[in-house]
Amino acid sequence: EMLNCYQVWGGSDGEPAGWLSLRLAEISQLKLTTKRFAPRPEKQRSDGAMSWLGLSEAEAQGYLIEGVEIAAVNGPRAVVISGESQAVQRVGAEVERRGGKSRRLAVSHAFHSAHMDGMLEQYAGVLQRVELRAPQLALMSNVTGKRASEQELRSVQYWLKQARGAVRFGSC
């Protein structure tokens, strides 16, 4: 049986994977990207943390302290924060102290935070070596929460923003 797909959506690092999967006919590009030019994990700081908060984005903003950023807005009352490990822990503890919900996430890096800054230049180099083409199917942008335009998907800056900034799954 064949599955017909009309739209693709991927979470966080799944968005670039979704874009690549739509380009699978160009397997040489995929191999080139993943084997030769992929950003090295050592360029990403690994001393950070992420936590889920059962708060709205506006409520979560009120808890942010230095070293902590909103990494994802997953729904009306589902936000993920990311950043310095101890600072993320302090925010989670304060949310719980005030009767809210918080859960530390098991992650290898503090994604969508300043901890990604060290890999952005190398990632831009990867993207500049690959021909960025629009997919044949619609791709939902977790940067904007809307259908990604061809112009966005062909822009190195879009993919850097997707790697570094907050993603908005709740808007997709």
Side-chain angles (χ1 to χ4, degrees):
E1 234 177 281
M2 180 184 260
L3 174 67
N4 289 316
C5 220
Y6 299 99
Q7 182 170 290
V8 176
W9 175 80
S12 193
D13 58 349
E15 183 174 355
W19 177 80
L20 283 171
S21 70
L22 294 174
R23 306 302 313 169
L24 279 178
E26 300 163 37
I27 197 71
S28 62
Q29 288 284 338
L30 179 62
K31 287 181 181 176
L32 176 72
T33 302
T34 57
K35 289 187 177 177
R36 247 190 222 165
F37 299 110
R40 291 177 173 46
E42 64 267 15
K43 294 284 187 177
Q44 302 170 21
R45 293 176 52 191
S46 60
D47 58 337
M50 298 178 79
S51 286
W52 170 87
L53 305 177
L55 302 173
S56 69
E57 182 177 11
E59 291 168 328
Q61 289 283 352
Y63 285 93
L64 297 182
I65 60 175
E66 186 175 335
V68 179
E69 303 173 49
I70 290 182
V73 180
N74 293 334
R77 298 196 58 77
V79 171
V80 175
I81 57 171
S82 184
E84 300 294 330
S85 187
Q86 290 181 352
V88 168
Q89 184 175 350
R90 282 196 304 273
V91 169
E94 182 61 17
V95 167
E96 289 178 4
R97 188 185 73 72
R98 294 186 191 180
K101 295 178 182 177
S102 170
R103 184 175 65 239
R104 184 82 172 246
L105 302 178
V107 295
S108 60
H109 295 77
F111 297 101
H112 303 287
S113 76
H115 283 239
M116 297 291 99
D117 289 349
M119 59 77 74
L120 293 178
E121 184 177 338
Q122 187 179 13
Y123 188 40
V126 168
L127 295 169
Q128 290 165 355
R129 289 180 179 93
V130 175
E131 185 177 353
L132 297 174
R133 296 185 194 174
Q136 299 300 308
L137 299 175
L139 178 68
M140 296 301 293
S141 167
N142 57 36
V143 173
T144 65
K146 300 175 183 165
R147 182 177 175 172
S149 71
E150 181 176 343
Q151 182 180 5
E152 287 173 312
L153 296 175
R154 296 183 73 175
S155 163
V156 170
Q157 289 305 310
Y158 171 82
W159 293 106
L160 295 177
K161 185 176 181 180
Q162 193 278 338
R164 170 59 176 88
V167 289
R168 305 191 164 279
F169 308 124
S171 299
C172 291

